[in-house]
Amino acid sequence: MNREWVKVVIAAIFEVFWVIGLKHADDVWMWIGTALAIAVSFYLMIMAGKTLPVGTVYAVFVGLGTAGTVLADSMFFGEEFSLIKIGLILLLLAGVLGLKLVTKEEGEVAS
Amino acid sequence: MAWVFLIIAGLFEMTGVVMINQIHKNRNWKSITALFSSFGASFIFLAFAMETVPMGTAYAVWTGIGASGGAVLGMLFYGESKTILRIVFILMVLGAAVGLKLVS
């Protein structure tokens, strides 16, 4: 089951790269990189939906991508970091962890 | 008008998520085209909405509609699990994502 979740996490990491790219890319190579990152992240996310429920995968993908983007903004682009942001990121990670724990893969349960 | 565009963008994102389900059930060009055109239309309407709605707000609303709607439709039509715990955790993730976009 861990392999599918690894795909979701990698997809979310690539999502952070293309969101940064959409905002900061200013030459052809960076745009190509952004496009590649979109392709990789959506491909992995879609493939993870093969065994995990798509609603869960999409929520986790979007959530981790958002947390990653906020973190990247604070670390590399000088956006201010507040307690409320840390709290929300922790809430989000708790939700992701919870989803991972309650989610059964297809075939794991005879439904 | 921007808010109408934003809701339309969210609805297209929702159908995009449903199409991911559809692709795994039935992989053919019809569902692949539907997937790409849903997300494509969704991004176009999102960009329209962002001309007047602030970016963080627009993205937060868009994410909220698309991911929660996609999860609800997955439960209704694709037999995804409907346990209370799963619903609570999805709401937690989405609430936190929307909150992060709003405070950024």
Side-chain angles (χ1 to χ4, degrees):
Chain A
M1 97 169 213
N2 283 318
R3 261 180 88 172
E4 299 308 311
W5 284 99
V6 169
K7 281 184 200 163
V8 183
V9 171
I10 297 175
I13 293 170
F14 275 95
E15 195 197 3
V16 175
F17 282 114
W18 67 254
V19 172
I20 294 173
L22 283 183
K23 206 167 171 182
H24 299 280
D26 48 13
D27 64 41
V28 175
W29 289 108
M30 283 175 81
W31 281 112
I32 291 175
T34 303
L36 280 176
I38 292 179
V40 172
S41 78
F42 272 82
Y43 178 78
L44 287 173
M45 184 264 288
I46 289 171
M47 284 304 128
K50 205 170 177 177
T51 33
L52 299 170
V54 170
T56 299
V57 168
Y58 196 73
V60 170
F61 170 69
V62 168
L64 287 180
T66 303
T69 318
V70 170
L71 282 174
D73 255 345
S74 316
M75 286 191 292
F76 308 120
F77 299 103
E79 177 104 10
E80 51 146 348
F81 209 69
S82 60
L83 264 180
I84 189 161
K85 280 187 196 171
I86 298 175
L88 286 170
I89 289 178
L90 289 177
L91 176 72
L92 190 146
L93 292 178
V96 169
L97 202 68
L99 273 176
K100 185 177 180 301
L101 293 175
V102 298
T103 303
K104 299 257 192 297
E105 274 182 60
E106 264 175 40
E108 201 174 296
V109 274
S111 55
Chain B
M1 200 57 194
W3 283 92
V4 177
F5 285 148
L6 189 53
I7 290 167
I8 296 174
L11 294 177
F12 271 118
E13 192 200 2
M14 219 164 93
T15 57
V17 177
V18 171
M19 284 307 136
I20 299 175
N21 265 314
Q22 191 60 35
I23 270 186
H24 292 309
K25 220 173 114 191
N26 197 356
R27 187 168 309 188
N28 55 25
W29 282 106
K30 222 169 104 190
S31 21
I32 294 174
T33 311
L35 174 81
F36 276 97
S37 33
S38 288
F39 276 113
S42 176
F43 274 103
I44 290 168
F45 279 104
L46 179 63
F48 281 150
M50 277 180 177
E51 280 180 11
T52 41
V53 181
M55 196 172 90
T57 314
Y59 192 97
V61 173
W62 177 75
T63 300
I65 299 176
S68 54
V72 169
L73 292 178
M75 290 177 199
L76 290 180
F77 299 113
Y78 292 91
E80 291 185 2
S81 135
K82 295 191 221 7
T83 57
I84 293 290
L85 267 180
R86 177 163 183 263
I87 296 168
V88 168
F89 286 131
I90 287 181
L91 288 177
M92 254 167 89
V93 170
L94 291 178
V98 169
L100 278 173
K101 287 296 174 185
L102 292 178
V103 299
S104 292

